[in-house]
Amino acid sequence: MPVAETVDALSALAPLLRVQPELQSLCRFESPWAAPHARETKGWAPFHMVTLGSCVLDVGGKLHPLGAGDVVVLPHGDSHVVRGAAAARPGRPPAPVRTETTRAIAIKSNSDDPEVELICGRLAFEQPHDNLVRLALPQVIRVGTARG
């Protein structure tokens, strides 16, 4: 399905899904890094918006490359790992992640000069978890906004 048709299909589905977003963190990382996410509770779907650089979403071993402007949603709440796109240099452990909590959002970082920035959160579905429209959604929905 062409991108324009995909976006139109998602726009048409949005009113049926009725979601409320919850922003959780601003993540600012340099390689090597990995951010594992546990399975969400019923009724919640994690999302990630890449605002700078590139990274990889790993859902059960299936890799989804992401770049600046990409938004990805996991409508079924699957566990996943978001990690740096560049392979880590052998023997170089990830830098420790610092977390600063503000009144609005957690800021997670392992660098003062990040290669990648993400806005992470989750969507609360107003409809029941077993809503037929939601059940029909794919495991991962990726929308690229960098090209308008």
Side-chain angles (χ1 to χ4, degrees), residues 44-68:
W44 291 93
F47 69 85
H48 304 282
M49 296 184 285
V50 182
T51 59
L52 174 71
S54 61
C55 58
V56 174
L57 172 72
D58 182 341
V59 184
K62 186 170 182 182
L63 304 180
H64 304 268
L66 304 172

Side-chain angles (χ1 to χ4, degrees), residues 13-91:
L13 286 174
L16 299 173
L17 294 172
R18 292 198 308 250
V19 297
Q20 294 293 323
E22 176 184 285
L23 296 179
Q24 294 177 309
S25 57
L26 169 63
C27 299
R28 305 178 80 227
F29 298 123
E30 72 175 327
S31 292
W33 65 276
H37 296 266
R39 180 168 188 76
E40 282 288 347
T41 55
K42 287 186 177 185
W44 291 93
F47 69 85
H48 304 282
M49 296 184 285
V50 182
T51 59
L52 174 71
S54 61
C55 58
V56 174
L57 172 72
D58 182 341
V59 184
K62 186 170 182 182
L63 304 180
H64 304 268
L66 304 172
D70 287 343
V71 178
V72 65
V73 178
L74 289 84
H76 306 290
D78 296 322
S79 62
H80 59 286
V81 177
V82 184
R83 61 178 170 77
R89 286 182 248 161

Side-chain angles (χ1 to χ4, degrees), residues 71-130:
V71 178
V72 65
V73 178
L74 289 84
H76 306 290
D78 296 322
S79 62
H80 59 286
V81 177
V82 184
R83 61 178 170 77
R89 286 182 248 161
R92 183 177 174 201
V97 174
R98 302 178 308 270
T99 301
E100 175 188 335
T101 305
T102 68
R103 291 188 325 170
I105 195 168
I107 300 170
K108 299 178 180 181
S109 179
N110 71 353
S111 172
D112 292 327
D113 187 24
E115 301 166 353
V116 178
E117 285 187 347
L118 301 129
I119 297 171
C120 304
R122 60 188 189 160
L123 302 174
F125 287 89
E126 292 179 14
Q127 296 293 320
H129 184 68
D130 57 357

